[in-house]
Every structure is written in structure tokens, then in C-alpha cells.
């Protein structure tokens, strides 16, 4: 519904007709994604990029975007890009009045929880996450009853309600560090069973988990990776820790989405296979022309709900505003800031 409404409304409000002038005016931006996007496609995106960047300044807004956004969002309109941890930390430092969160709903909720005085917008409120949808506060209560006294470490890929009933959060960038830091020999991790199993393989603690999984990362198999490596012995395989442990065992490096980007930047392999979401390789392809990216590409259907059209509409209309009930936000904030503080202490 929203899609039809905005498709009809936007052309009457903004000059969105493709033109040579608009394409020329944004050519420097296009050059950051020329390897993965044709000039004809860019000509269609350019008017939106111009309108969004103008409106962003007029509204005193900032766009925080996850690494899984498509190149025209990642390079074209985002003010800051990063993994979940970096986005959460950045959300505590924003000066603008409005945050447009280009990512999934739990990321926008996290930004709101950490920045209650700001307006947080998500361009499509139905951008969920299979992990966040797999666990409820009742599920956390069941785990606590099964393992009395064990601390609950919840992945940030959870709703505010679940965070509020957890002891501390973690992200893919710090899960092992958080599990090692919490009190007790047994730790409950929710909701991603593969992230939990990957942590369990690296900690001395007993880790028990909820049975959730990411619809993108659970599709990768170790057999597929082995077969690809056999045909392409030079390939470096870089995986996200939401993958199965036997997939992680095949990888040359495992890390958060930003960890993956930084590893490829540092190591510049001739061939790289990013065992994660599709847009990751596209977003760094032009920056690293010497790297050939294998494309075993799985797309996150939730992340892909965020489009330039919806971002422009969010800035124009102030929809959809993300709210979190203050009581829940206060408790969720405790779990998130505990995690952020732990990282800051470790850096000292
Ligand atoms: P990162 O924290 O590594 O960016 O991961 C978030 C996510 O949703 C991965 O699927
Ligand atoms: Fe959730 Fe997986 Fe999409 Fe990340 S890639 S947002 S974990 S469904």
C-alpha cells in the first residue's frame, strides 16, 4: 500500500525525471559503484540521490546505513555505514534532529533506545529479521527457568522487549568478548543458535542457546564452499558468524560485516568469497578493483525492503517514526550500554 502511495505522490513533489544533467552532477558518486551498476541504472537513481541529499540537509537529518544496503544507498546517500555495533555506537553521537535508519527494524529501535530525544525514522517498518522474530520475552523466561542463574546474552538482532528482559546484548563483533565477560560458567545466548555454537567453540564456558537462525546465512553449506575452493584454490573465504560452525571452519576469516570488509581491505586477495549478504561484495568492489568477488549471493529479503524511494518518502513525510515505550526502552538501554561499555573498557 505504502509503495503505491509513494510511487504516486513523489513525482509530483520532487523532480525525479532522469536527465543527463542529474547524471553528470552525481558522476563522482557513481564512480564508487561503476563496477556493479550500469550507467543506465544510475541515471534512474541519480534524481533520488539528489533529492534525498538536499532534503536531508533541509530537515537536519542523518542517514545511518547498514553494510547490507544496496550500493546506491550505501554510497549515494548514507552519512555513516557500518555493522550493528558501529551503528549502535554512532547512534549515541548523532547531533542532527532526525536519524533515518537504513537497515532493519531492530537497528532503528536500537537507535531510538540510545537516543530517545531524537526522531528515528525507518523507511519501511516491515523490514524485520528472522532472528528477531524467533524469540519473545516468554522465550527468555523459559530459558531462565531451564538454566537458573545463568546470564542471558541477547544478540542485538532482537526486539526492544527481548533486550529489556536480557542481562546484556552482543553483536557479531563482540559476542565472544561478552560471553567471556559475564558472570557464571553457563551462559544463555539468544536467539541465533549458530552464533552461539561458534562462540561455544571458542570459549571455556558452557553456552546454551535458543533455536533461531538467519534466513540468509543458514543457507550456506560447508560442502558448497569446499567444492568452490577445489575449483578455485586461490579463493579466500570470509564468513559471518551467523553461518553454521562447519561453514565457519572452512573460512579463512570470520567476523562481523565490518570485520569482513576490513579483512578484505587489509588482505586484498586475488579472489574473495564473502559468505554473507549479497550487497557486501558490491559495496566494496570498486574500492578494490584487484579483487575478484565470487558471488554465492544470498539476499536478505528484509534489508532489501529499504529503497531510495522509501528513504525520500521517509524524509518528506516523517514516516515511519520508531517508538519504544519508555519502561521497555530504559531496561533495553541498560543491556545495550553494558555491551558498549564493555568494549570501551577493553580498549583502555
Ligand atoms: P553485523 O552486526 O555483523 O553487521 O550483522 C548484522 C546482521 O544482521 C547480519 O546478518
Ligand atoms: Fe536478520 Fe539475517 Fe537479514 Fe541479518 S541477514 S537482518 S540476521 S535476516
Amino acid at each position: 500500500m505504502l509503495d503505491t502511495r509513494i510511487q504516486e505522490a513523489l513525482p509530483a513533489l520532487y523532480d525525479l525525471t532522469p536527465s543527463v544533467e542529474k547524471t553528470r552532477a552525481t558522476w563522482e558518486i557513481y564512480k564508487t559503484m561503476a563496477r556493479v551498476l550500469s550507467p543506465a541504472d544510475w541515471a534512474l537513481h541519480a534524481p533520488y540521490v539528489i533529492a534525498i541529499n538536499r532534503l536531508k540537509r533541509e530537515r537536519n537529518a542523518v542517514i545511518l546505513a547498514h553494510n547490507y544496503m544496496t550500493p546506491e544507498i550505501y554510497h549515494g546517500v548514507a552519512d555513516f555505514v557500518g555493522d550493528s555495533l558501529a551503528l549502535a555506537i554512532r547512534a549515541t553521537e548523532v547531533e542532527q534532529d532526525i536519524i533515518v535508519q537504513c537497515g532493519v527494524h531492530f537497528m532503528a529501535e536500537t537507535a531510538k533506545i540510545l537516543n530517545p530525544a531524537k526522531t528515528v525514522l525507518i523507511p519501511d517498518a516491515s523490514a524485520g529479521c528472522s532472528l528477531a522474530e524467533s524469540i519473545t520475552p516468554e522465550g527468555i523466561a523459559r530459558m531462565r527457568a531451564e538454566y537458573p542463574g545463568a546470564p542471558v546474552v541477547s544478540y542485538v538482532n532482537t526486539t526492544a522487549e527481548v533486550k529489556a528482559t536480557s542481562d546484556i546484548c552482543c553483536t557479531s563483533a563482540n559476542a565472544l568478548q561478552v560471553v567471556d565477560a559475564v558472570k557464571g560458567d553457563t551462559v544463555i545466548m539468544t536467539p541465533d543458535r549458530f552464533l552461539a555454537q561458534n562462540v561455544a567453540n571458542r570459549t571455556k564456558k558452557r553456552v546454551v542457546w535458543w533455536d533461531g537462525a538467519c534466513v540468509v546465512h543458514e543457507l550456506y553449506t560447508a560442502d558448497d564452499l569446499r567444492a568452490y575452493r577445489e575449483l578455485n584454490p586461490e579463493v579466500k573465504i570470509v564468513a559471518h558468524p551467523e553461518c553454521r560452525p562447519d561453514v565457519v571452519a572452512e573460512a579463512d576469516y570470520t567476523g562481523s560485516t565490518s570485520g569482513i570488509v576490513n579483512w578484505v581491505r587489509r588482505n586484498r586477495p586475488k579472489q574473495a568469497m564473502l559468505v554473507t549478504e549479497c550487497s557486501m561484495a558490491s559495496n566494496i568492489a570498486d574500492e578494490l578493483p584487484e579483487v575478484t568477488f565470487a558471488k554465492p549471493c544470498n539476499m536478505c529479503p528484509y534489508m532489501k525492503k529499504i529503497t531510495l524511494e522509501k528513504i525520500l518518502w521517509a524524509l518528506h513525510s516523517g514516516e515511519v517514526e520508531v517508538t519504544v515505550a519508555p519502561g521497555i526502552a530504559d531496561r533495553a538501554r541498560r543491556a545495550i550500554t553494558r555491551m558498549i561499555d564493555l568494549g570501551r573498557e577493553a580498549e583502555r
Side-chain angles (χ1 to χ4, degrees):
M1 254 334 262
L2 178 73
D3 293 4
T4 330
R5 182 160 55 103
I6 65 177
Q7 267 159 10
E8 283 168 8
L10 281 176
L13 297 161
Y14 300 93
D15 176 10
L16 299 174
T17 314
S19 70
V20 174
E21 292 71 38
K22 292 186 193 95
T23 306
R24 271 210 199 109
T26 52
W27 202 245
E28 284 306 308
I29 302 176
Y30 173 64
K31 284 203 275 187
T32 61
M33 63 197 106
R35 218 176 141 194
V36 291
L37 206 74
S38 72
D41 283 330
W42 180 251
L44 297 175
H45 292 317
Y48 286 88
V49 168
I50 292 170
I52 289 168
N53 286 333
R54 191 172 296 149
L55 200 54
K56 203 168 63 176
R57 285 190 295 275
E58 283 170 23
R59 299 275 202 263
N60 194 25
V62 66
I63 295 185
L64 307 185
H66 186 259
N67 289 325
Y68 289 167
M69 289 297 104
T70 48
E72 66 277 8
I73 296 174
Y74 185 95
H75 292 292
V77 298
D79 297 293
F80 180 84
V81 292
D83 61 12
S84 305
L85 180 61
L87 292 175
I89 293 171
R90 190 69 179 81
T92 65
E93 299 160 354
V94 164
E95 282 168 9
Q96 288 85 343
D97 302 322
I98 299 171
I99 298 172
V100 182
Q101 187 79 37
C102 293
V104 291
H105 195 264
F106 76 80
M107 294 176 176
E109 265 189 351
T110 303
K112 180 66 186 178
I113 290 163
L114 292 173
N115 235 335
K118 306 278 179 191
T119 299
V120 176
L121 305 177
I122 184 160
D124 188 329
S126 70
C129 166
S130 65
L131 283 170
E133 284 157 19
S134 73
I135 179 95
T136 59
E138 291 72 36
I140 299 281
R142 275 203 334 256
M143 293 294 279
R144 284 196 193 277
E146 205 174 326
Y147 302 99
V152 174
V153 177
S154 280
Y155 199 24
V156 281
N157 298 38
T158 45
T159 61
E161 287 81 2
V162 166
K163 288 184 178 79
T165 55
S166 305
D167 295 296
I168 187 167
C169 287
C170 75
T171 72
S172 60
N174 59 21
L176 177 66
Q177 182 195 12
V178 171
V179 167
D180 280 341
V182 291
K183 286 201 180 108
D185 297 330
T186 299
V187 178
I188 299 168
M189 283 189 80
T190 71
D192 186 349
R193 66 179 182 278
F194 296 135
L195 179 70
Q197 289 163 10
N198 286 320
V199 169
N201 287 341
R202 295 174 62 201
T203 181
K204 290 194 176 76
K205 297 194 180 189
R206 175 183 178 222
V207 179
V208 293
W209 51 80
W210 187 254
D211 200 28
C214 161
V215 288
V216 172
H217 294 92
E218 70 176 345
L219 297 177
Y220 291 106
T221 70
D223 279 350
D224 289 344
L225 301 192
R226 274 193 291 270
Y228 190 86
R229 208 198 278 277
E230 227 174 276
L231 293 170
N232 304 277
E234 277 195 88
V235 74
K236 295 291 179 202
I237 296 178
V238 198
H240 194 273
E242 289 170 14
C243 293
R244 299 161 193 278
D246 59 347
V247 166
V248 164
E250 288 300 321
D252 297 286
Y253 170 80
T254 302
S256 75
T257 54
S258 289
I260 289 173
V261 169
N262 291 334
W263 190 90
V264 180
R265 273 188 189 135
R266 262 198 321 275
N267 292 281
R268 296 180 182 249
K270 275 204 185 107
Q271 277 187 56
M273 178 193 272
L274 309 195
V275 187
T276 183
E277 211 268 349
C278 249
S279 291
M280 287 272 293
S282 306
N283 287 335
I284 53 172
D286 278 84
E287 180 195 332
L288 301 168
E290 68 273 46
V291 182
T292 302
F293 289 93
K295 292 256 168 69
C297 212
N298 291 327
M299 218 183 258
C300 174
Y302 308 100
M303 290 277 185
K304 268 29 198 192
K305 289 190 173 203
I306 308 300
T307 61
L308 286 177
E309 207 171 40
K310 291 178 194 168
I311 296 169
L312 180 56
W313 182 254
L315 279 165
H316 172 81
S317 65
E319 290 176 0
V320 178
E321 189 172 350
V322 176
T323 54
V324 183
I328 289 171
D330 290 345
R331 285 186 290 136
R333 191 177 310 113
R334 259 203 307 271
I336 303 167
T337 45
R338 265 185 201 142
M339 166 189 79
I340 294 175
D341 291 348
L342 200 70
R344 288 189 175 137
E345 274 164 35
E347 275 167 20
R348 269 191 229 127

